[in-house]
Amino acid sequence: MRSPRTRAGGLVAVAALALACAGCGGGGDAAGTGAAATPSQTDAKASACVPSGHGPATGKPIPVGAIVEKTGGPGVPQATAAAAAYYDCVNANGGIHGRPIKFLQFDSAYNPQKAGQGADHLIDDEGVVAFAGTSSFLDCLVNGSTYRSKGIYSLAGVAGPPECNNNTNIAAVDNGLADWVGAVQYAVEAQGAKRIALVVAKAGTIGDAIVAADTAYAKAHGAEIVKVDKIDNGLKDATSVVLDVASAHPDAVVVNTLQQDAIAILKAAQSQGLTQSPKWVCLSLCYSDNLPKVLGSGWKGLPIQTPFQPVDAQTPDNLLYRQVMAKYAPSAPLDPFSQGGFLAARIFTQALLGIDGPITRASAGKALKDVSGFRSDELCGPWHFGAGAITSQRVVKMTEDGFELASDCKPVPGAS
């Protein structure tokens, strides 16, 4: 594959032309029903944001909300930035039957009280019809009961804690359980690991849930978790972590932390001469188009699990994703989180376009919860609103200057 930088430069160059024509039909998957495509499609054309092909939307705005952690603790605000970028594209191409989406973001700063205040403000003061594009690790825990009591629905761009799966008013494009277990599955099946070490971000209740799910999978498949290091975000001493997990003599180490910490750990492992033994697997948290440049050729071949297409895939929806990001969110990273936010906005937009009648909180909620069988070449299969929508994972391997697909859409046991 071409390098991400080369690819990005080329796409930026064509983005203006392509987006000017977004909504003109585009030859893609505007209805979200296109068949899956492969990354090798070099002649693919980008999908369109909306099928209308009209000019900028000028009608009464439709308020839509999102809770995001732009400051404070762990956060992946690029998911919400990607949702905003997609809505900008929708608004520039006719909106929802002439009405623009007014996307209102609230920064919780990883503070539960602020997260609750933000949801109340967006619902009661701003009158949002739904949440679509949230990227908060607190939102479902803090606001789940509020969404139920006020009859409002939320589609997040990233998976939250496992407790979110029990709330029928909340869904995520991604599936945290499939992510976590998929990486350990790769270590067992592709790397032949019997002894596995985990490096996991604490992130509230998520860290414990990851360890429990990975331990159960390993036990059921003839392997064992021999070491667990739970770390705080903003790791200060990566070398100590590397030496600690190495002391357990694992066959493989699965790194499940935010990217900055994963990079620190991998660089520390390289400095200790540990890039080849034990073997390493990274979750989608450390995947972005800049990773080859940051890590260097010493980590060529590093496997990384992801629920979506490789970020440089030339499929219609992924081309649109890259074009939208280049035009409307050029500073946001290209990674699985921004792909998730992009998809959340895309799914919600398609739901709104299907409403026959007034767009209200009730009609938007019904349209969202009724989403079933949504297809995108970003996904391994049809998506529905609710738990267990994603049950398969891809694995990419880092090359000198990009990524190549190592395993395509492999089902993850117990992910449904």
Side-chain angles (χ1 to χ4, degrees):
M1 290 182 178
R2 295 165 59 187
S3 74
R5 291 185 61 186
T6 302
R7 170 83 52 212
L11 287 173
V12 169
V14 301
L17 174 61
L19 288 174
C21 195
C24 303
D29 190 23
T33 57
T38 66
S40 61
Q41 281 186 284
T42 57
D43 58 347
K45 295 180 180 179
S47 303
C49 293
V50 288
S52 69
H54 298 304
T58 58
K60 182 180 178 181
I62 302 169
V64 177
I67 304 296
V68 55
E69 274 100 48
K70 294 183 179 179
T71 57
V76 284
Q78 62 267 38
T80 299
Y86 188 81
Y87 293 138
D88 284 343
C89 181
V90 170
N91 293 341
N93 290 279
I96 308 299
H97 305 307
R99 297 178 61 185
I101 291 173
K102 182 181 179 182
F103 191 45
L104 301 162
Q105 306 173 42
F106 190 96
D107 179 10
S108 80
Y110 202 62
N111 179 313
Q113 184 176 6
K114 289 193 67 174
Q117 292 170 346
D120 288 339
H121 168 69
L122 293 175
I123 295 169
D124 299 331
D125 301 332
E126 299 289 352
V128 298
V129 298
F131 290 76
T134 281
S135 61
S136 168
F137 293 128
L138 291 173
D139 180 58
C140 77
L141 294 177
V142 174
N143 297 319
S145 60
T146 297
Y147 295 158
R148 276 180 166 165
S149 66
K150 296 187 176 181
I152 197 161
Y153 286 78
S154 174
L155 173 55
V158 300
E163 293 90 338
C164 303
N165 293 335
N166 299 322
N167 192 319
T168 55
N169 284 53
I170 298 174
V173 174
D174 195 1
N175 179 347
L177 181 61
D179 291 354
W180 311 331
V181 175
V184 175
Q185 179 186 17
Y186 184 84
V188 171
E189 294 185 359
Q191 297 179 326
K194 297 293 186 184
R195 297 170 54 82
I196 299 168
L198 305 177
V199 183
V200 181
K202 292 178 181 175
T205 61
I206 297 179
D208 291 338
I210 292 170
V211 174
D214 288 349
T215 300
Y217 174 85
K219 184 177 180 180
H221 293 80
E224 62 177 325
I225 303 299
V226 297
K227 187 70 178 180
V228 176
D229 265 24
K230 293 181 183 176
I231 67 169
D232 291 313
N233 297 296
L235 182 63
K236 302 298 184 185
D237 187 356
T239 299
S240 293
V241 172
V242 168
L243 295 177
D244 190 41
V245 295
S247 69
H249 304 293
D251 301 320
V253 181
V254 175
V255 181
N256 191 342
T257 70
L258 291 179
Q259 190 193 47
Q260 61 181 12
D261 295 327
I263 289 172
I265 291 166
L266 294 171
K267 285 187 173 181
Q270 186 173 13
S271 71
Q272 296 297 319
L274 297 174
T275 59
Q276 300 302 315
S277 181
K279 299 182 183 301
W280 295 78
V281 184
C282 219
L283 264 75
S284 55
L285 288 161
C286 74
Y287 182 21
S288 71
D289 64 337
N290 71 343
L291 194 64
K293 180 180 179 180
V294 173
L295 285 181
S297 59
W299 279 103
K300 179 182 176 182
L302 174 70
I304 305 171
Q305 161 275 337
T306 177
F308 307 126
Q309 287 281 14
V311 294
D312 54 357
Q314 297 185 63
T315 57
D317 283 0
N318 200 61
L319 286 172
L320 175 63
Y321 154 73
R322 295 195 60 128
Q323 291 171 357
V324 166
M325 295 297 288
K327 184 173 179 66
Y328 297 107
S331 62
L334 300 178
D335 63 16
F337 294 107
S338 58
Q339 286 176 307
F342 167 88
L343 280 169
R346 187 164 174 79
I347 292 169
F348 183 61
T349 296
Q350 297 301 329
L352 290 181
L353 287 168
I355 294 175
D356 184 14
I359 296 177
T360 64
R361 187 169 296 169
S363 65
K366 183 179 187 308
L368 193 51
K369 73 177 183 179
D370 286 348
V371 172
S372 178
F374 176 91
R375 290 184 179 274
S376 167
D377 56 61
E378 295 276 24
L379 301 167
C380 284
W383 186 93
H384 66 269
F385 188 91
I390 288 184
T391 59
S392 297
Q393 295 286 299
R394 295 179 169 99
V395 174
V396 298
K397 283 189 176 179
M398 203 176 81
T399 65
E400 291 279 356
D401 55 3
F403 303 91
E404 62 184 13
L405 196 61
S407 175
D408 195 11
C409 293
K410 189 174 183 61
V412 178
S416 60

